[in-house]
Amino acid sequence: MLPWKRALRPLAALLLAVAAVTVPTAAHAADTATAPSRGWNDFSCKPSAAHPRPVVLVHGTFGNSIDNWLGLAPYLKNRGYCVFSLDYGQLPGVPFFHGLGPIEKSAEQLDAFIDKVLAATGADEADVVGHSQGGMMPRYYLKFLGGADEVNALVGIAPNNHGTTLLGLAKLLPYFPGAEDLLSTATPALAQQVVGSDLLTKLNAGGDTVPGVRYTVLVTQYDEVLTPYRNQFLNGPNVRNVLLQDLCPLDLSEHVAIGLLDRIAFHEVVNALDPARAKPTTCASVLD
């Protein structure tokens, strides 16, 4: 890469981030002005004809129902969606940081939460948007807990669908006696997300997808947590795999930023939730 191009990368990232936070359009400003003050997780919210399905946001490992969604939840709420988020995978004595318990149990928590959302809103189906583990764990619910009957679409933002090598560090675990057992005991969800885990082998056996659900996967090539980044893509029908840099080469988001503040990703989430009204996503989408 030419030196001047390398030097422009940090500047491009800064400009995209600033635009995402400080330059709303007039339409977006109007949406913000009229948004309900209670924000998301409003169980009195009734889906509109334009957006008939509630959106359930599923945080990632070490995340929670608030911090993970300070960017995307208002973005969706301001566009007329009923938005909900849950905490899952809690461990005793570990406040605020969730998504650490066994993924099978977390999927059961998601199942119960979506049942609650559907009962409150009167909707027949929900759409699910998840970041990292939150983009993969719902697939367990869809495949093994009957979730395909309750979910229309799953949007994974940097989802850990086929495991991570953690830049190769996972391959070193066998060389440290007891490390793998300690990881499995102390933080089961972390051990289950390593390439080749029993959980991922079971989840992906017989195909990545289930009939009746639309899948969208949003990935950044600069992901330093889920490596290699192409492990995040899904195979199967009704799948759309998106590399954000194909839409906006200036997008330098890594694993955390893609879920927290990346409006290129947010724009694609809305396209996935409402494909009939989808608009092309470009670098200018940060202004939408």
Side-chain angles (χ1 to χ4, degrees):
M1 176 181 291
L2 295 176
W4 66 269
K5 288 187 176 181
R6 186 179 298 111
L8 283 177
R9 277 189 171 184
L11 177 61
L14 177 62
L15 290 175
L16 284 171
V18 170
V21 175
T22 64
V23 192
T25 62
H28 181 253
D31 284 341
T32 303
T34 59
S37 60
R38 285 176 291 181
W40 71 98
N41 271 347
D42 175 6
F43 280 85
S44 68
C45 185
K46 299 300 180 184
S48 65
H51 304 304
R53 293 176 299 276
V55 179
V56 175
L57 304 178
V58 188
H59 65 74
T61 309
F62 292 110
N64 61 61
S65 61
I66 298 174
D67 294 345
N68 218 141
W69 305 117
L70 292 174
L72 182 58
Y75 186 92
L76 295 175
K77 188 72 177 177
N78 292 340
R79 284 156 179 79
Y81 290 89
C82 290
V83 182
F84 302 88
S85 62
L86 78 156
D87 288 313
Y88 71 88
Q90 300 92 332
L91 291 180
V94 184
F96 309 118
F97 302 106
H98 306 312
L100 297 171
I103 287 172
E104 302 93 329
K105 297 297 184 182
S106 295
E108 293 176 3
Q109 291 179 276
L110 176 62
D111 186 3
F113 186 80
I114 288 181
D115 286 345
K116 179 181 177 181
V117 168
L118 294 180
T121 60
D124 294 327
E125 292 181 311
D127 289 325
V128 177
V129 180
H131 175 239
S132 193
Q133 181 191 160
M136 172 271 288
M137 179 271 283
R139 293 179 48 226
Y140 193 97
Y141 155 63
L142 296 178
K143 194 167 189 177
F144 300 114
L145 302 179
D149 293 331
E150 299 178 329
V151 172
N152 167 71
L154 171 61
V155 183
I157 304 173
N160 194 2
N161 283 319
H162 293 279
T164 178
T165 66
L166 289 173
L167 292 174
L169 294 178
K171 296 179 181 179
L172 298 178
L173 288 175
Y175 296 96
F176 294 89
E180 291 179 288
D181 290 339
L182 177 62
L183 187 65
S184 299
T185 302
T187 53
L190 288 179
Q192 290 177 316
Q193 292 182 77
V194 173
V195 167
S197 74
D198 291 343
L199 183 284
L200 289 172
T201 298
K202 176 182 177 181
L203 179 61
N204 294 317
D208 293 351
T209 64
V210 296
V213 179
R214 291 188 294 105
Y215 297 81
T216 302
V217 179
L218 307 178
V219 174
T220 172
Q221 70 184 40
Y222 301 114
D223 197 313
E224 79 290 12
V225 175
L226 302 186
T227 57
Y229 72 84
R230 293 191 178 276
N231 275 11
Q232 300 170 42
F233 291 142
L234 291 173
N235 299 301
N238 295 324
V239 171
R240 181 168 183 256
N241 292 312
V242 180
L243 182 64
L244 293 192
Q245 284 72 32
D246 288 340
L247 305 177
C248 176
L250 296 178
D251 192 323
L252 304 182
S253 289
E254 41 65 69
H255 185 74
V256 174
I258 188 178
L260 188 62
L261 55 78
D262 191 320
R263 288 174 72 101
I264 303 297
F266 294 178
H267 194 270
E268 274 297 295
V269 168
V270 170
N271 281 348
L273 297 177
D274 191 2
R277 298 182 180 87
K279 299 177 182 178
T281 301
T282 67
C283 293
S285 296
V286 297
L287 304 177
D288 183 11

